[in-house]
Amino acid sequence: MYTGSILPRFLRNNTSAAQLLLSLGLAFVFVWFGVDKIVRPVYWIGWIPAWMEGFLTISRDSWLTVIGIVEVVIGFGLVVSSLPRGFTSSPPVPDGYVRAGTPHAPTSRRSLFLSRFFVILVILHLLAVISQTGLNDIGVRDIGLFFAALALFV
């Protein structure tokens, strides 16, 4: 009789699964909006504040492209830094064995640093967006995303 779980080991821990799903959800939003800013700038240019025109001698259109690229990088960074070890490194090792030179903990310090780094970028980016949009339907959405990112940080 099989008594094991069909779920991968990293999903058997509810906290790990919740963090992974939350990271992937935030990453999806950031990649989607970043790509959309690059592909359809006409829909987004109105959200770029007028004071950014000519800031650092860059036009608002160029700022929109820069912001889109930054959002895509943040999104992919969230995905890569949140995947469990084994998805992004060498092949998995059978249970009970430890590959030489790898930490015994499920997540390494480097992985934790990268994860926190990208979550901090998300938090700072959302604070900047919220400060410019104010309290409207877009601002409320971004406040929800901000608290989701804050939950990942703590």
Side-chain angles (χ1 to χ4, degrees), residues 10 20 24 78-88 107 111:
F10 69 91
L20 175 65
L24 293 177
L78 278 173
V79 169
V80 171
S81 67
S82 66
L83 288 178
R85 192 176 59 186
F87 274 77
T88 58
T107 55
S111 173

Side-chain angles (χ1 to χ4, degrees), residues 76-90 101-119:
F76 280 117
L78 278 173
V79 169
V80 171
S81 67
S82 66
L83 288 178
R85 192 176 59 186
F87 274 77
T88 58
S89 61
S90 54
T102 58
H104 300 318
T107 55
S108 66
R109 288 180 186 216
R110 182 180 143 277
S111 173
L112 183 62
F113 170 78
L114 280 176
S115 178
R116 292 229 171 200
F117 174 76
F118 283 107
V119 170

Side-chain angles (χ1 to χ4, degrees), residues 3-46:
T3 58
S5 173
I6 62 170
L7 293 174
R9 187 176 1 169
F10 69 91
L11 286 179
R12 292 182 204 153
N13 177 342
N14 288 339
T15 303
S16 297
Q19 289 174 341
L20 175 65
L21 293 173
L22 192 53
S23 293
L24 293 177
L26 281 172
F28 175 78
V29 170
F30 269 77
V31 170
W32 181 274
F33 286 162
V35 168
D36 202 45
K37 283 178 176 79
I38 296 166
V39 174
R40 300 187 307 178
V42 71
Y43 294 125
W44 293 92
I45 195 66

Side-chain angles (χ1 to χ4, degrees), residues 42 61 89 126 147 154:
V42 71
D61 294 330
S89 61
L126 287 170
F147 280 108
V154 294

Side-chain angles (χ1 to χ4, degrees), residues 117-128:
F117 174 76
F118 283 107
V119 170
I120 288 171
L121 288 180
V122 168
I123 290 170
L124 293 175
H125 180 75
L126 287 170
L127 283 174

